[in-house]
Amino acid sequence: MNEYPGISEKKRQKSPGYLNDMKKSDWYLRLKQRPGLKAVFVLIGIILLLSIFAPYLAPQNPNAVDLYDKNQGPSAEHLLGTDYLGRDLFSRVICGLQTSMAIALTTIVFSFIIGVAVGGYSGYKGGWVDNVVARVIDVFLAFPSIILALALITLIGQGILNMVLMLAVVQWASLARLMRGQVLYEKNQEYVLSARASGFSGSRILIRHIIPNCVIPVVVLATIDIGHTILTISTLSFLGMGIPPSIPEWGSMINSGISYMRIAPLNVIVPGIAITIVTLLFNMAGEGIRDITDPKSDGEGSI
């Protein structure tokens, strides 16, 4: 039954539920045409599993100190060698993955919820509310993210919880701006006007009809931001202002290994490669999600 009488099928291509009516087989066919993207999703799945089971996969205690075996190369006992305190490098890299992924995913979930809620409400409400929210978003985006992160972490101090709160404050504005722009466009579409004429409440129109048609670009940006968040975490830890030294983390591992670069280069190379791979995979995944969910995407540059 047509939920919006009087609106032609062609004009209802952005109607509520149209995005949901897009057959899952269409998404699957787009995915099948991109074997490289499928490989990216598989690798991200492996990374997530490694982060979940890191304590069980680590062959040794990542914080166990053995000064007699410090800065050793790869061996049967230490697959990637040891750091300047004799700690097993492989165990620390695996546990560092768990630390980075836990903080990054938690941060993105919080940022996504805040960004969608604030941006969606602001764009749909309009008027002075939208103007105030837009100015607040502009203020947050006016500062380079790393500078704002450094300022906030200096104020609230180190710690995993503080890191999540600080990163959420830094990340939400870009998601909110994108969501607001999408809603500003969608709220003037004919299906929204028809829903209003049918007597639907504003909250129902926004939650059930507008947001489902606006959220995919925000999901793409949030996926890409996972990699950027991991990079920010590593940067802050490298500067000594992120995760406490007792917790394995890639940025702090690079910082502590620089002094021993000549005699034990793996202490810097391994966590550096780990950061690069994870960041690149999430960037590719975000662009891939855009390609398989956007019917207008031509797929240029896709994998």
Side-chain angles (χ1 to χ4, degrees), residues 71-92:
N71 293 325
Q72 297 297 311
S75 64
E77 185 178 2
H78 303 287
L79 296 180
L80 296 176
T82 60
D83 66 2
Y84 71 106
L85 292 177
R87 296 172 296 190
D88 184 65
L89 185 58
F90 179 76
S91 300
R92 291 185 63 78

Side-chain angles (χ1 to χ4, degrees), residues 100 145-147 149-150 153 158 163 166-167 227-243 249-255 275 279:
S100 297
S145 59
I146 190 63
I147 301 299
L150 284 171
I153 204 67
Q158 294 182 338
M163 178 72 76
M166 178 271 300
L167 290 173
H228 294 169
T229 302
I230 291 176
L231 188 59
T232 301
I233 295 169
S234 299
T235 301
L236 293 173
S237 297
F238 176 80
L239 297 174
M241 302 184 67
I243 305 301
E249 200 283 323
W250 292 335
S252 60
M253 292 172 61
I254 295 175
N255 184 16
I275 294 171
T279 301

Side-chain angles (χ1 to χ4, degrees), residues 99-170:
T99 302
S100 297
M101 289 303 303
I103 296 175
L105 292 177
T106 304
T107 297
I108 292 301
V109 168
F110 284 148
S111 301
F112 182 83
I113 294 173
I114 296 172
V116 169
V118 173
Y121 178 78
S122 172
Y124 185 77
K125 187 70 174 178
W128 68 269
V129 173
D130 184 47
N131 289 331
V132 171
V133 173
R135 300 294 78 76
V136 172
I137 293 175
D138 289 341
V139 169
F140 277 90
L141 295 178
F143 297 94
S145 59
I146 190 63
I147 301 299
L148 182 58
L150 284 171
L152 291 174
I153 204 67
T154 302
L155 291 175
I156 64 178
Q158 294 182 338
I160 292 180
L161 178 59
N162 289 345
M163 178 72 76
V164 171
L165 293 175
M166 178 271 300
L167 290 173
V169 171
V170 172

Side-chain angles (χ1 to χ4, degrees), residues 28-47:
Y28 180 70
L29 288 175
R30 289 173 177 270
L31 182 60
K32 284 183 64 176
Q33 296 171 356
R34 295 171 171 82
L37 180 58
K38 290 191 290 185
V40 168
F41 288 149
V42 170
L43 290 175
I44 288 179
I46 294 173
I47 287 174

Side-chain angles (χ1 to χ4, degrees), residues 40 227 275-285:
V40 168
I275 294 171
T276 302
I277 291 175
V278 173
T279 301
L280 181 61
L281 284 176
F282 278 105
N283 285 348
M284 296 168 68

